[in-house]
Amino acid sequence: MFACEKSINGETDVLTLSRVTRRYGANTALDGVDLVVPDNTYMALLGASGAGKTTLLRLIAGFEEPDQGEIAIHGERIDGQPPHLRDIGFVFQNFALFPHLTVAQNVEFGLRHRARAPITDDAEIRARAEAALELVGLAGFGHRGVGAISGGQRQRVALARTLVCEPRIVLLDEPLGALDANLRARMCDELRAIRERLKVSFLHVTGSETEALTMGDEVAVLAGGRIVQSDAPEMLFTAPRNAAAARHLNAWNIFPAGLCAGGAAQGEIAVRFDQIDVSPPGAVPDGRPHLAAQYLTGEFNGPTALSFFRAEDGTLLQVVDHLSTPRLPELTEGARYDLHFAPDAARQFHGAA
Amino acid sequence: MTALSTETPSRPAAAASPAALRARKDRNRALALLSPGLIWMALFMVLPMCMVVYVSFWTQTTFSVEPSLTTASWQRFLGSSTYLAAIGTTLRIWAIVLVATVAIGYPVALFIGLFVRNKTVQTALLVACVIPFWTSFLIRVIAWRPMLGTEGAINMILMKLGIISHPLEFLLFSEFSVLVGMTQIYCVFMVGPITFMLGRIEPSVIEAARDLGASFGTIFRRIILPLSLPGVMVGAIFVSVMVLGEFATAASLSGRKVNLLGNIIVSQVGSLKWAFAAVAGVVLTVIITAVIALALRLVDLRKEM
């Protein structure tokens, strides 16, 4: 019953943003964002806090309007339309449940009170709300007050309340941010499963690269007010197209190419944490680009260990070592080492990042 | 170096556990915090209230009361159409002022609490609402005379504009002027609590309702109004308590045409009719208690605050 209408006449993109710009006074929060969310896709939007992720969602939902650019759903422009006529689902970070209503009344709100085509048949409303609660695993919770349920359950109510209206796309604003780690992992799986059942596109905003890579069929990186890359997770992780994208993955060392002996001399180089090897000064195998750095300290994280180095220009470099396949020598704090990597492990970026 | 001792300091077996000691300390502190208020209330509220009820049964002579019990004052009060009419007038004026303060105060509170999202501006606007209170009560009331009088500002303007040819007589020294005066004075006590409740509504809750397709009218009816009702109730209790006990506005703006229970008490005390004033006082207290009880029944404040 939740099946979204199939894409119209072979059109495969639900949401299209072109050159969307939003300014607050002298601050430019979004500077010409181009983003395409395909039909039936879990899209993750990764960005640092303050990057304008929430602003982007608010523009799509219609709580704010862009200064420039166009927002379209199935090719039909929606910017300028009032939010309650846009038919877009928004799941708030703080859930934003109606505190004076029960769980069931929260879920029924949209069906009962929407301006466009409200449902008047009480039995149908109740049946659909109950089905939505069942979908999110809260069957039988309808009579409870929203103050009497846990954080994870509130998250589910917020989701059910949005999904029951069968929106054209669901926007999730850091939906897991308010949950504890255990719950977050479980909700991740469930969100994906629910979306796959409904076949509606989700646009999930997050500041956590793990969350974005785990959840997204596609991940877009928002930095400096723009989408710097939008790709499948494996593609993005292994081949970021620019330094900004690489920086957000928290897995790449980015340093000026000039630091490195035996490599290119200009632009910036990025090497993944797990693809750098360490050896005592002067013991670098032939043919591997290398740079000198001082060992600062190590951090033990369980299955992996992270070592921190400082390069000559002050850049902080990280090296990941896996407990099962250790490849680093014994390290002394304050001592100097050579860091080296395979020539094809490095990605080189030109121009400003 | 001294070795660290792992033994707990020995204690007599009979001594109370730390938890019991802590509980006793908390109890003592609560008692210490409560007692000034309790003593004050007992001495200056409960005791005088009992005294008023007692005095209402005393025997009234022309200039004094004697503590010989009689129901004469009660019979006179309940048998007189003048005094029963005063109860009616008090209740009517209370109801109208209550409705007027809600009707005028709610939109103001809606604006300050919901549409002004800047806390500083919010505070500034609330302070602006209390600016009239920087003058004395009497000045605020009497200031209505040059506004509402036959030669007053409103009549002058209406006549100059040619809307009326004779001054409107009902504006001043009438029930109307009492209603205007009271509404103006007590409106702010309605605005405050409603603003507070509206300010506590998460903006995202309203946005969520909007996102679910509800128009502003629906959101107001289904979300904003229910969430602000406790504020309306608290405001209603404030306004009710003050309006029901009012006498000064009626005394200075009604031209003695409006007699509230408060005015009766004042005039009876003025003529040393203590027993009779006590009867009116008891009646007024019963009415106020009933109104508050009713208001508290309508909204469960404990749940909402």
Side-chain angles (χ1 to χ4, degrees), chain A residues 58 84 88 90 94 100 115, chain B residues 202 204 207 210-211 213 222:
Chain A
R58 293 177 61 81
H84 65 289
I88 285 175
F90 198 116
N94 64 357
H100 58 303
Chain B
E202 287 275 347
S204 59
E207 282 173 352
R210 195 112 167 102
D211 184 67
R222 302 286 169 185

Side-chain angles (χ1 to χ4, degrees), chain A residues 13-331:
Chain A
D13 295 337
V14 189
L15 178 72
T16 325
L17 277 74
S18 28
R19 301 179 313 283
V20 169
T21 299
R22 175 77 175 123
R23 297 187 197 88
Y24 298 101
N27 285 344
T28 305
L30 299 173
D31 183 17
V33 167
D34 288 302
L35 178 69
V36 171
V37 181
D39 205 0
N40 193 5
T41 302
Y42 204 119
M43 180 102 175
L45 181 70
L46 174 63
S49 65
K53 297 172 302 216
T54 301
T55 305
L56 190 64
L57 289 195
R58 293 177 61 81
L59 290 177
I60 299 169
F63 303 138
E64 294 176 39
E65 291 287 352
D67 291 307
Q68 276 154 36
E70 285 180 22
I71 304 171
I73 283 200
H74 294 308
E76 166 214 351
R77 266 187 85 161
I78 56 164
D79 49 293
Q81 278 183 18
H84 65 289
L85 301 178
R86 289 195 186 191
D87 198 7
I88 285 175
F90 198 116
V91 178
F92 289 81
Q93 184 173 12
N94 64 357
F95 316 143
L97 299 180
F98 307 127
H100 58 303
L101 302 179
T102 63
V103 167
Q105 286 169 330
N106 263 277
V107 177
E108 290 164 3
F109 187 91
L111 298 176
R112 206 182 283 275
H113 298 307
R114 63 189 174 197
R116 194 186 271 166
I119 297 174
T120 45
D121 177 13
D122 240 19
E124 188 190 345
I125 293 176
R126 267 200 294 277
R128 285 179 64 173
E130 191 51 42
L133 283 172
E134 205 181 310
L135 177 78
V136 299
L138 282 183
F141 277 77
H143 62 282
R144 300 241 193 140
V146 293
I149 55 175
S150 72
Q153 290 168 337
R154 268 180 227 165
Q155 167 76 78
R156 287 156 201 265
V157 175
L159 197 63
R161 183 178 69 170
T162 302
L163 295 175
V164 77
C165 293
E166 303 182 13
R168 295 186 282 186
I169 182 171
V170 178
L171 314 175
L172 303 109
D173 187 7
E174 309 215 19
L176 310 177
L179 306 181
D180 61 51
N182 268 333
L183 213 50
R184 208 175 302 155
R186 236 182 45 220
M187 269 320 275
C188 272
D189 299 339
E190 288 196 27
L191 275 175
R192 280 191 67 95
I194 288 170
R195 197 211 67 74
E196 268 155 32
R197 274 186 61 188
L198 301 185
K199 311 226 178 309
V200 59
S201 282
F202 277 22
L203 176 56
H204 173 139
V205 149
T206 174
S208 147
E209 67 285 346
T210 1
E211 201 176 301
L213 295 169
T214 318
M215 308 288 291
D217 299 323
E218 198 170 328
V219 180
V221 181
L222 180 68
R226 291 192 182 169
I227 301 290
V228 291
Q229 185 169 358
S230 179
D231 250 323
E234 306 78 30
M235 195 63 192
L236 177 74
F237 188 75
T238 53
R241 273 209 302 270
N242 43 52
R247 224 166 252 133
H248 278 81
L249 297 170
N250 195 24
W252 291 81
N253 290 306
I254 301 161
F255 49 90
L259 276 182
C260 194
Q266 48 180 318
E268 281 185 305
I269 284 185
V271 184
R272 256 193 5 238
F273 294 174
D274 59 332
Q275 290 186 317
I276 289 193
D277 287 318
V278 180
S279 52
V284 177
D286 284 343
R288 287 170 73 94
H290 57 92
L291 68 162
Q294 187 185 18
Y295 176 61
L296 297 175
T297 183
E299 198 179 276
F300 177 68
N301 298 330
T304 61
L306 204 52
S307 305
F308 295 91
F309 293 85
R310 191 178 296 289
E312 274 153 2
D313 71 337
T315 310
L316 193 70
L317 303 167
Q318 302 179 44
V319 178
V320 168
D321 202 14
H322 293 271
L323 210 58
S324 51
T325 52
R327 60 199 163 77
L328 298 194
E330 202 64 38
L331 298 169

Side-chain angles (χ1 to χ4, degrees), chain B residues 132-216:
Chain B
F133 285 78
W134 295 1
T135 63
S136 88
F137 182 90
L138 216 54
I139 292 176
R140 261 174 290 139
V141 172
I142 290 174
W144 279 108
R145 290 193 188 175
M147 284 292 285
L148 299 174
T150 41
E151 306 266 302
I154 289 173
N155 273 324
M156 297 279 266
I157 291 169
L158 288 179
M159 276 163 71
K160 280 262 159 48
L161 291 174
I163 295 170
I164 51 170
S165 50
H166 302 287
L168 297 174
E169 297 276 345
F170 75 89
L171 287 182
L172 188 58
F173 299 131
S174 61
E175 194 169 308
F176 177 78
S177 55
V178 175
L179 292 172
V180 169
M182 285 196 184
T183 304
Q184 183 236 347
I185 292 165
Y186 299 118
C187 210
V188 67
F189 295 100
M190 193 57 92
V191 172
I194 299 177
T195 306
F196 174 76
M197 285 312 285
L198 288 171
R200 290 191 352 163
I201 300 178
E202 287 275 347
S204 59
V205 165
I206 292 166
E207 282 173 352
R210 195 112 167 102
D211 184 67
L212 292 170
S215 63
F216 184 79

Side-chain angles (χ1 to χ4, degrees), chain B residues 284-304:
Chain B
L284 189 52
T285 309
V286 168
I287 291 176
I288 293 178
T289 312
V291 165
I292 294 177
L294 181 74
L296 290 179
R297 269 215 107 113
L298 289 178
V299 171
D300 186 358
L301 287 179
R302 241 178 331 167
K303 203 183 82 192
E304 307 284 354

